[in-house]
Amino acid sequence: MKKIDVKILDPRIGHEFPLPAYATPGSAGLDLRACLDEAVELAPGQTTLLPTGLAIHIADASLAAVILPRSGLGHKHGVVLGNLVGLIDSDYQGQLMVSVWNRSQTVFTVEPGERIAQMVFVPVVQAEFNLVEAFDSSERGEGGFGHSGRQ
Ligand SMILES: O=c1ccn([C@H]2C[C@H](O)[C@@H](COP(=O)(O)OP(=O)(O)OP(=O)(O)O)O2)c(=O)[nH]1
Ligand SMILES: [Mg+2]
């Protein structure tokens, strides 16, 4: 398994609030917890930035992490991410933050230590642009946005 440096910014991490860990051998995501002193009430439509109490340094440009909603929170409670998806750059060393958006019609209360989102490490290819006047032809060409129909 790949080793990623992690810094604990809040002493409760690793004790009161467990360090993110894969829940099962096949898990893709590591749940991130809201590192809060007290519960936070999110009004309908409200977005707020929540700390996780930890920082990572991926330190490898061929990797990144994405922060994704948890499906139960998103589907059952309408609690998703204010940025839809969070992208963690390999050179970011600050605290992992989660933008939580209550897109439901009811107040949602985030409890201290609650698992609010999940983080997935993903491979990245950095590309360099090669300037051309014309592309080699392809089957699709410029067709897009549904040009092939619906069925
Ligand atoms: O949900 C998120 C999204 C981003 N970040 C951190 C890590 C990431 O590397 C950095 C910058 O994110 P991004 O590039 O998406 O934001 P930006 O608005 O372009 O900010 P910047 O100008 O700092 O790149 O913020 C988080 O902690 N949580
Ligand atoms: Mg950026």
Side-chain angles (χ1 to χ4, degrees):
M1 218 182 276
K2 177 85 182 170
K3 296 270 190 206
I4 302 282
D5 286 352
V6 62
K7 244 173 36 179
I8 290 174
L9 305 177
D10 186 297
R12 291 171 297 178
I13 306 279
H15 304 282
E16 225 175 297
F17 307 150
L19 253 187
Y22 294 108
T24 63
S27 292
L30 297 150
D31 286 343
L32 297 176
R33 294 173 185 269
C35 195
L36 302 172
D37 295 332
E38 52 193 38
V40 167
E41 282 205 345
L42 272 178
Q46 194 185 341
T47 302
T48 196
L49 202 55
L50 299 180
T52 61
L54 42 93
I56 59 169
H57 182 207
I58 299 173
D60 174 350
S62 69
L63 283 180
V66 288
I67 298 180
L68 302 171
R70 293 184 65 209
S71 54
L73 279 184
H75 182 68
K76 294 189 193 140
H77 300 283
V79 173
V80 292
L81 302 179
N83 47 354
L84 305 185
V85 174
L87 177 63
I88 311 302
D89 297 287
S90 71
D91 53 357
Y92 179 70
Q93 299 183 325
Q95 179 163 203
L96 290 174
M97 302 295 292
V98 179
S99 171
V100 180
W101 171 30
N102 179 6
R103 62 167 178 77
S104 80
Q105 314 283 330
T106 51
V107 172
F108 183 83
T109 304
V110 182
E111 299 294 340
E114 185 164 352
R115 290 174 294 141
I116 42 163
Q118 55 186 328
M119 180 169 69
V120 178
F121 288 99
V122 292
V124 169
V125 176
Q126 284 186 328
E128 168 170 46
F129 288 122
N130 177 40
L131 205 55
V132 296
E133 291 298 327
F135 295 128
D136 292 342
S137 73
S138 75
E139 186 175 326
R140 173 179 289 276
E142 295 184 7
F145 296 91
H147 96 293
S148 64
R150 291 184 59 179
Q151 299 294 329

